Amino acid sequence: MCQRGVGAIVHGPRGTGKTYAAAACVNMAVSRGRRAVMGTATEIANAVFSSRDKNAEMGRICGCDLLVLDDYGAQRATDYMREQVFEIVDACYRYRTPMIVTTNLTVRQMAQADPRVFERLFERCERIEASGANRRLS
Ligand SMILES: Nc1ncnc2c1ncn2[C@@H]1O[C@H](COP(=O)(O)OP(=O)(O)OP(=O)(O)O)[C@@H](O)[C@H]1O
Ligand SMILES: [Mg+2]
């Protein structure tokens, strides 16, 4: 999928292994000599927008071979954070950086949360539904 520039939206209820699966993809990519960045939307937004050289940090993220945006939709829904997340997704979209997004939101809820983010991810990502029991409770 990295070679094809394709990513994934991994959606489903809590504890169904979305972060675990995304981390496994990061491990696989890194073991093959690729560069990957993984974090929550808040962590990645903070890394970019609180850095001294925002352009350089954004370039580092867009220039990686795989970006994992973990727990999309759990970030604080302020206009400021929405704009930051959009800027990151849009930059990666333009650079064709493969993205894996994990989320508790349904595809419909993602579309409602931010249509601009959703459309870019929808175009570039396969949808994978995580289902089953909450592994933390079973
Ligand atoms: N394939 C797996 N094999 C073994 N353990 C797993 C597997 N997938 C997930 N787990 C374990 O199940 C628990 C929940 O997984 P994970 O944190 O990935 O869920 P999640 O879907 O990201 O949850 P949330 O929506 O709350 O973020 C973790 O302890 C994780 O280590
Ligand atoms: Mg998770």
Side-chain angles (χ1 to χ4, degrees):
M1 286 167 80
C2 278
Q3 275 161 2
R4 288 188 288 131
V6 174
I9 297 171
V10 186
H11 60 97
R14 289 189 307 278
T16 49
K18 300 179 297 297
T19 299
Y20 186 97
C25 293
V26 166
N27 287 342
M28 185 188 279
V30 169
S31 73
R32 292 179 182 181
R34 294 180 181 268
R35 259 178 7 94
V37 173
M38 178 169 182
T40 64
T42 309
E43 285 167 345
I44 292 172
N46 285 343
V48 173
F49 294 98
S50 63
S51 82
R52 230 176 264 169
D53 189 343
K54 294 182 188 51
N55 287 340
E57 191 58 25
M58 187 70 99
R60 196 178 73 79
I61 286 171
C62 300
C64 74
D65 301 301
L66 173 65
L67 171 69
V68 175
L69 215 51
D70 194 31
D71 238 349
Y72 173 77
Q75 71 273 9
R76 282 180 61 209
T78 59
D79 286 348
Y80 181 64
M81 181 54 77
R82 193 173 296 126
E83 197 51 38
Q84 288 184 332
V85 172
F86 170 73
E87 279 194 40
I88 291 162
V89 169
D90 183 54
C92 290
Y93 173 81
R94 285 186 279 110
Y95 278 77
R96 294 192 165 273
T97 313
M99 289 179 272
I100 295 177
V101 176
T102 77
T103 183
N104 290 139
L105 301 179
T106 62
V107 172
R108 183 189 288 256
Q109 286 169 331
M110 271 184 83
Q112 286 166 349
D114 192 327
R116 294 182 306 165
V117 167
F118 175 72
E119 285 166 17
R120 284 162 176 75
L121 294 174
F122 190 85
E123 183 186 329
R124 293 284 159 74
C125 295
E126 294 181 8
R127 266 78 59 204
I128 300 172
E129 185 176 2
S131 58
N134 185 330
R135 285 174 177 268
R136 295 192 191 103
L137 304 178
S138 58

